[in-house]
Amino acid sequence: MQGGVCFAAAGGRLTPVRSPRKATGMSAVQSSVSAASDHTPHVLARLLALGRPIVMGVLNVTPDSFSDGGRFIDPGVALARARELVEAGADILDIGAESTRPYGGATPVAREEEMARLKPVLSQAVALGVPVSIDTIKADVAAWALDQGAAIVNDVWGLQRDPEMAPLVARRGAPVIVMHNRDGADPAIDIMSDIAAFFERSLAIAERAGIPRDRIVLDPGIGFGKTPEQSMTAIGHLDRLKAFKLPLLVGASRKRFIATVTPSEPQQRLGGSIAAHLLAVQKGAAIIRTHDVADTVQALRVAAAIGAA
Ligand code: HH2
């Protein structure tokens, strides 16, 4: 099926997409998306121009990530996983070396440790040929990762934690994922208004720093500073965030809200993750962040094919 064509839904539209590919050799996406070492501002634009949901595969080189902590800390295993994600159809590899622990309890990691975890993995992951995003809240780590060939910065504090992050992103011309976050969940608030107000602050910071708007992706931050109900509201009402006229990313993969509907451990939440991601795409998500790339790609394609029938 390499290089084959089928259909996927992108915000309700049906568009031809490529099939999963091998990690070696030129892939279909490489012909339309610059190599991962490409720092040009157009990496994001070219991905989005594919006109179908973009799938971001998660690689955690951490001992303590909530769903797969410790599994990929060995560099050889991490690289094998990266290859597997690319072969399964990942359009972006999102690599993180500090657990964000959406549900609390993360051990803060010094930047030296974060970089030491990334060092044996990052540039080799970049060499696989899909754009790599660096999942970090530290500008120093992001700068170093961009030097290694990462193409996108994924900041789970939406440019609001490290004051050096926005200037760095502006200087480097990197696309940035601005994720909504809160120090704690408050069941009393209107979560959609809170997300919108947070994005307004992030976009003001971005503008002051000189980050062009066309390099920004917004993400409601499923599971971060939200009750399970608020996480579900964020997906169900995602279309309200279309008002920002920026691409939206949703990462519901294996998150805890799923277990509040059907009790399950993180590894048992594939069905719930896929349901959430299909609905997110229906509500306007352009990018889906997932640990389970092959199943997600299949689900997106089948949903789109049925939609086209
Ligand atoms: N979720 C996690 C981490 N980074 N980045 C974005 N933009 N959106 C998300 O929803 C998101 C994210 C949490 O998942 P994971 O990386 O598997 O866990 P951990 O942070 O514990 O490593």
Side-chain angles (χ1 to χ4, degrees):
M1 284 284 287
Q2 190 176 0
V5 172
C6 56
F7 293 89
R13 283 177 296 127
L14 291 165
T15 46
V17 297
R18 63 175 174 70
S19 294
R21 61 190 175 279
K22 294 289 173 203
T24 51
M26 276 295 286
S27 64
V29 82
Q30 267 181 295
S31 61
S32 54
V33 178
S34 55
S37 57
D38 186 350
H39 290 192
T40 67
H42 305 296
V43 168
L44 175 66
R46 288 184 215 170
L47 279 168
L48 295 169
L50 294 172
R52 57 165 174 83
I54 299 306
V55 176
M56 169 187 267
V58 179
L59 178 61
N60 289 317
V61 286
T62 54
D64 57 346
S65 286
F66 83 94
S67 83
D68 56 7
R71 277 190 65 197
F72 307 112
I73 196 82
D74 174 86
V77 178
L79 281 165
R81 177 64 171 172
R83 227 168 271 122
E84 190 181 24
L85 294 172
V86 172
E87 286 176 10
D91 299 298
I92 303 171
L93 282 178
D94 187 43
I95 306 188
E98 176 177 34
S99 170
T100 54
R101 277 274 163 174
Y103 314 112
T107 316
V109 175
R111 65 179 178 175
E112 292 76 14
E113 172 65 18
E114 203 175 331
M115 288 193 255
R117 290 176 185 173
L118 291 165
K119 205 169 181 177
V121 175
L122 191 62
S123 53
Q124 291 189 64
V126 166
L128 294 176
V130 298
V132 167
S133 60
I134 176 68
D135 186 349
T136 187
I137 57 172
K138 300 187 190 79
D140 285 351
V141 174
W144 174 83
L146 292 170
D147 289 342
Q148 305 302 303
I152 300 169
V153 174
N154 176 17
D155 181 359
V156 301
W157 275 99
L159 305 172
Q160 296 186 34
R161 194 40 64 106
D162 183 340
E164 296 306 317
M165 190 64 104
L168 168 82
V169 167
R171 264 196 320 276
R172 299 299 189 91
V176 62
I177 298 159
V178 163
M179 198 194 82
H180 170 262
N181 213 329
R182 294 173 50 85
D183 278 318
D186 178 353
I189 61 171
D190 171 352
I191 196 65
M192 298 313 294
S193 302
D194 194 73
I195 292 170
F198 181 97
F199 286 162
E200 296 287 4
R201 288 195 296 277
S202 294
L203 291 173
I205 292 168
E207 192 178 353
R208 275 199 302 276
I211 300 172
R213 234 180 129 87
D214 70 353
R215 281 170 231 181
I216 300 174
V217 174
L218 300 178
D219 176 352
I222 305 304
F224 289 86
K226 295 172 188 70
T227 64
E229 292 71 26
Q230 288 172 337
S231 283
M232 288 188 268
T233 298
I235 298 170
H237 295 267
L238 191 75
D239 48 349
R240 278 179 55 184
L241 302 176
K242 285 191 202 169
F244 285 97
K245 300 198 184 312
L246 289 173
L248 301 171
L249 182 152
V250 168
S253 190
R254 303 181 183 174
K255 291 205 171 143
R256 196 173 60 187
F257 76 89
I258 296 166
T260 66
V261 181
T262 55
S264 46
E265 293 304 311
Q267 299 284 347
Q268 302 168 319
R269 298 176 190 162
L270 177 60
S273 303
I274 287 176
H277 286 148
L278 291 179
L279 288 165
V281 167
Q282 238 177 37
K283 292 282 180 181
I287 307 176
I288 295 300
R289 181 183 185 273
T290 179
H291 302 87
D292 300 293
V293 169
D295 298 289
T296 304
V297 166
Q298 185 182 65
L300 289 167
R301 287 186 178 159
V302 170
I306 293 169

